Amino acid sequence: MYSSSLADAPAIREPLHAPVAHLVRGGVTEGVHYGSVVVLGTDGEVDFQLGDIEVAFYPRSALKPVQAVAMVRAGLPLDGELLSLAAASHSGEERHLAGTRRILELAGATEDDLRNVTDLPYGPVVRDFWIREGRPPSRLAQNCSGKHAAMLYTCKLNGWSLDGYLDPAHPLQQAIAEIVEDLTGQRIARVTVDGCGAPLFSVSLNGLARAAARVTTAVPGTPEARVADAMREHAEMASGSGRDVAALMRAVPGLLAKDGFEGVGVAALPDGRAVAVKISDGADRARVPVTAAALVRAGVDPAQLTPFEGEPLLGGGEPVGTITPVRALRP
């Protein structure tokens, strides 16, 4: 199904995105979202593609399940809610903060040891509450704090220095890079810094979909399967209340889904079918319906995906249009 040899790194160039969704208001196309989409079959081969699926791009937080797999392979003993949190872009709810504190406690570390940026909670409701209460930004509240706490715990277990754990040359980040290449099946094209401060690895959209498929098809009990099980069973811990990726995993049994900033989404089923989406302008309003359309292309029952068909466009407070995936995406 998947080759054990690594393909060359994807090319670094301007991506050749294609139209993936139309904003239709009152029967007229008001705007167009460009992007790229890939759908993999159960054999790991490309069943459908649109745009540029082989160019180098940054998966952003959609790569977190792979980072979590790398940490579990390196000895991270977390399971359940805390392992889901290790792969999370969380909303900053109290359960997320409490879980992160618990991981830090297990690592014998404190919030001061975290090296992610300070921020207000990502979830709009929680963020508004913090602002009303006058609570300042913190590393704990930032949406990647669970991942960073797990990184500290992994370092502690391996006897690696906690200082500089975000340096690409640190043993932790070297171990993560190795697993990114293993699961995507290709060399990393470039390494930069993600918004939270952690190293960010550039692969292809096709590589991201392959990685997700390998996570969901792994043998039970393996690091990949443990991460997939934790995220599916504790979907809100990997995201938050009301988040679309959590709702998507609830709607489609067995689905693993993860979002990333700048319009990235990836989802995979236990039989290896997988989709990955990149919206060129980073718009979430297009990411969700395009991901849903790609999943229908992959064979998911359209009735399960009705709630994800796209938010309405309003006129005078009333729906007058919608965001519609392009015809090529619709089976």
Side-chain angles (χ1 to χ4, degrees):
M1 182 174 176
Y2 294 99
S3 172
S4 59
S5 61
L6 293 179
D8 290 339
I12 298 174
R13 54 173 170 77
E14 182 177 348
L16 303 174
H17 291 308
V20 293
H22 293 150
L23 279 70
V24 180
R25 181 185 295 270
V28 173
T29 298
E30 183 177 33
V32 180
H33 286 290
Y34 284 73
S36 296
V37 180
V38 62
V39 177
L40 302 184
T42 56
D43 58 359
E45 297 298 317
V46 175
D47 274 357
F48 174 84
Q49 67 181 84
L50 187 62
D52 199 344
I53 67 169
E54 297 294 355
V55 69
F57 92 118
Y58 290 119
R60 303 299 299 270
S61 287
L63 200 60
K64 282 178 177 173
V66 177
Q67 292 171 308
V69 168
M71 289 189 277
V72 174
R73 285 197 190 184
L76 184 69
L78 300 178
D79 279 302
E81 289 189 349
L82 294 185
L83 182 53
S84 183
L85 183 60
S89 300
H90 65 70
S91 291
E93 299 164 22
E94 284 303 318
R95 58 179 159 179
H96 300 129
L97 306 189
T100 301
R101 290 190 191 99
R102 178 59 181 152
I103 297 173
L104 289 171
E105 179 183 332
L106 290 168
T110 70
E111 184 176 351
D112 291 338
D113 294 306
L114 294 171
R115 290 295 176 265
N116 57 316
V117 297
T118 61
D119 202 355
L120 290 169
Y122 177 68
V125 174
V126 187
R127 183 173 62 247
D128 289 347
F129 174 77
W130 274 51
I131 292 171
R132 288 196 304 270
E133 293 289 309
R135 299 174 68 174
S138 73
R139 298 185 193 277
L140 200 66
Q142 197 267 340
N143 76 89
C144 302
S145 63
K147 178 184 76 175
H148 281 255
M151 286 180 170
L152 288 171
Y153 193 11
T154 305
C155 289
K156 189 67 173 289
L157 291 167
N158 284 277
W160 298 332
S161 170
L162 301 191
D163 294 331
Y165 74 92
L166 297 184
D167 187 330
H170 190 281
L172 169 70
Q173 301 303 336
Q174 291 290 299
I176 290 174
E178 181 181 344
I179 303 309
V180 169
E181 291 189 333
D182 177 26
L183 294 183
T184 61
Q186 63 188 169
R187 301 289 182 190
I188 292 167
R190 184 161 292 176
V191 181
T192 188
V193 182
D194 210 340
C196 66
L200 177 61
F201 307 103
S202 180
V203 294
S204 70
L205 196 66
N206 193 9
L208 177 65
R210 282 196 300 267
R214 291 190 63 186
V215 170
T216 57
T217 58
V219 175
T222 61
E224 292 89 337
R226 284 172 54 191
V227 170
D229 289 345
M231 292 181 69
R232 289 183 295 218
E233 292 169 14
H234 304 279
E236 284 79 13
M237 203 66 168
S239 53
S241 301
R243 294 274 293 279
D244 58 80
V245 284
L248 195 57
M249 286 191 276
R250 299 293 185 209
V252 182
L255 186 73
L256 176 69
K258 185 70 186 75
D259 55 346
F261 279 170
E262 297 303 323
V264 181
V266 66
L269 290 153
D271 62 5
R273 288 174 290 160
V275 307
V277 170
K278 164 65 180 174
I279 306 300
S280 66
D281 61 3
D284 268 357
R285 69 178 183 177
R287 173 183 59 81
V288 177
V290 170
T291 300
L295 284 168
V296 173
R297 268 272 176 189
V300 175
D301 183 354
Q304 295 176 308
L305 297 166
T306 300
F308 308 96
E309 291 179 346
E311 61 188 60
L313 302 180
L314 302 181
E318 297 296 326
V320 295
T322 188
I323 300 171
T324 305
V326 296
R327 188 176 302 276
L329 258 174
R330 289 175 273 161

